[in-house]
Structures are given as structure tokens and as C-alpha cells.
């Protein structure tokens, strides 16, 4: 029977890596503080990756994973104040990222609206300002120059001055 539990598959992959390290460096590697912190970070990433469990087994595995994360936090950071400050910092980072992403998305919407309004005004505006015209539209606007306009005008009548 296939194991459809994605959370257990990720944890199993981490444990396999840890067994490989223990085979090379010895069994005491699992007790090192930096290995425990790396395991804690890996488990937090797994928890964040699978926020919505796919089935009942994953839901149970997620709850057990959360308990394991709490246990690893207590081992990695035994001081309660340090744990509290770290957790507060993580929560503050999360809130700041959410706010910044919200502000960025608002700015993107505003700039998209500005560009769309400029494009609409360019299409609806004066024909001289519209740069998307075809050559035929420009040729229709040109006035044909007659030959008479290039020559000096002749005066008719009894006015003083030179006549041509």
C-alpha cells in the first residue's frame, strides 16, 4: 500500500540524511546543537509547506510534527525568555512581511490603474497626441501645397508699389 502522507515522506527524508551523517561521524552527531537547530528549521519548513493537510493521516502527522517542533525548541533554546523573544521576532517578521506584501500589491494595482488610464486617454485624446496612428491617418491630415502659394502674390488694383 502506498504512503500518501507527504509530511511523513519529508520527515523520513530528513531522518535518512541524519542516519548518513551518523554513519560518517558517529551516533553522537544527533546531539549537537547545530544539528538540532537544523532539524528544527527543517520541521518548521515542512509545517509551513503543508499548511492544509491533504487527508486525515496528514492532519495527525501535522499535529505530531507541531509537538516535535515544540520539543526541539525546548532542547535547542532551553531559556524560556530566549524562546519567547525568538517566537516574538518570528511573529513580528511574519506580520511585517504580510504588511509589506499588502503595500506592494496596492502599489502595483495603483500603477496598473495609472497605466491603463494613460492608455485610455491616449486612445481617446487628441489625434495629435496619439502615437498609435497609422500612416494613412497622418496623410489625411496633411494639406496639399498648391503651386500658387509658393509664388509671391500679385496685387490687383490701383495700389501704389510694384506690380508683377
Amino acid at each position: 500500500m502506498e504512503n500518501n502522507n507527504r509530511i511523513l515522506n519529508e520527515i523520513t527524508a530528513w531522518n535518512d540524511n541524519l542516519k548518513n551523517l551518523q554513519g560518517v561521524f558517529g551516533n553522537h552527531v544527533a546531539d549537537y546543537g547545530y544539528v538540532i537547530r537544523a532539524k528544527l528549521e527543517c520541521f518548521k519548513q515542512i509545517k509551513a509547506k503543508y499548511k492544509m493537510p491533504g487527508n486525515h493521516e496528514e492532519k495527525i502527522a501535522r499535529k505530531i510534527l507541531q509537538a516535535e517542533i515544540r520539543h526541539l525548541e525546548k532542547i535547542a533554546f532551553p531559556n524560556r525568555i530566549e524562546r519567547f523573544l525568538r517566537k516574538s521576532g518570528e511573529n513580528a517578521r511574519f506580520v511585517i512581511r504580510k504588511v509589506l506584501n499588502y503595500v506592494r500589491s496596492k502599489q502595483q494595482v495603483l500603477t496598473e490603474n495609472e497605466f491603463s488610464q494613460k492608455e485610455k486617454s491616449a486612445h481617446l485624446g487628441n489625434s495629435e497626441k496619439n502615437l498609435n496612428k497609422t500612416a494613412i491617418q497622418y496623410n489625411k491630415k496633411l494639406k496639399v501645397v498648391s503651386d500658387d502659394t509658393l509664388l509671391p502674390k500679385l496685387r490687383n488694383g490701383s495700389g501704389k508699389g510694384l506690380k508683377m
Side-chain angles (χ1 to χ4, degrees):
M1 186 168 134
E2 275 186 41
N3 185 7
N4 293 330
N5 195 336
R6 301 171 295 176
I7 296 172
L8 286 183
N9 292 338
E10 297 258 353
I11 293 171
T12 305
W14 168 259
N15 288 335
D16 291 342
N17 289 337
L18 186 61
K19 285 180 185 176
N20 290 339
L21 289 174
Q22 286 176 343
V24 174
F25 296 108
N27 291 336
H28 60 281
V29 171
D31 298 331
Y32 290 161
Y34 55 88
V35 175
I36 292 172
R37 285 190 289 272
K39 185 176 184 179
L40 176 64
E41 288 302 314
C42 179
F43 283 7
K44 283 182 180 180
Q45 288 174 357
I46 293 169
K47 180 185 166 200
K49 188 175 181 180
Y50 301 112
K51 284 186 177 182
M52 298 298 291
N55 54 28
H56 186 66
E57 292 174 359
E58 282 186 9
K59 192 174 184 180
I60 294 170
R62 192 168 192 283
K63 287 182 180 181
I64 294 171
L65 178 67
Q66 177 61 39
E68 184 66 20
I69 288 172
R70 276 190 238 115
H71 176 70
L72 288 172
E73 283 176 343
K74 287 178 184 176
I75 293 172
F77 310 109
N79 189 349
R80 284 185 181 186
I81 296 171
E82 184 180 3
R83 276 198 311 268
F84 174 74
L85 292 175
R86 283 183 177 274
K87 194 69 169 175
S88 300
E90 288 176 7
N91 291 338
R93 255 186 266 129
F94 177 75
V95 169
I96 290 170
R97 283 184 190 149
K98 285 289 188 182
V99 168
L100 290 177
N101 287 338
Y102 178 75
V103 169
R104 285 183 191 142
S105 66
K106 279 287 200 184
Q107 288 175 348
Q108 288 175 349
V109 167
L110 291 175
T111 54
E112 287 172 0
N113 288 342
E114 288 176 10
F115 284 127
S116 64
Q117 288 175 356
K118 286 180 183 178
E119 289 176 4
K120 287 178 184 176
S121 66
H123 291 299
L124 299 176
N126 293 337
S127 58
E128 292 87 20
K129 292 181 182 178
N130 192 352
L131 301 176
N132 296 327
K133 293 181 183 175
T134 62
I136 296 170
Q137 289 172 330
Y138 280 114
N139 290 338
K140 287 182 182 178
K141 297 281 182 182
L142 293 177
K143 295 180 180 177
V144 177
V145 178
S146 63
D147 293 334
D148 296 341
T149 58
L150 296 177
L151 298 174
K153 290 187 177 181
L154 296 175
R155 284 193 257 166
N156 294 329
S158 63
K160 297 179 184 175
L162 298 172
K163 290 185 181 180
M164 291 185 151

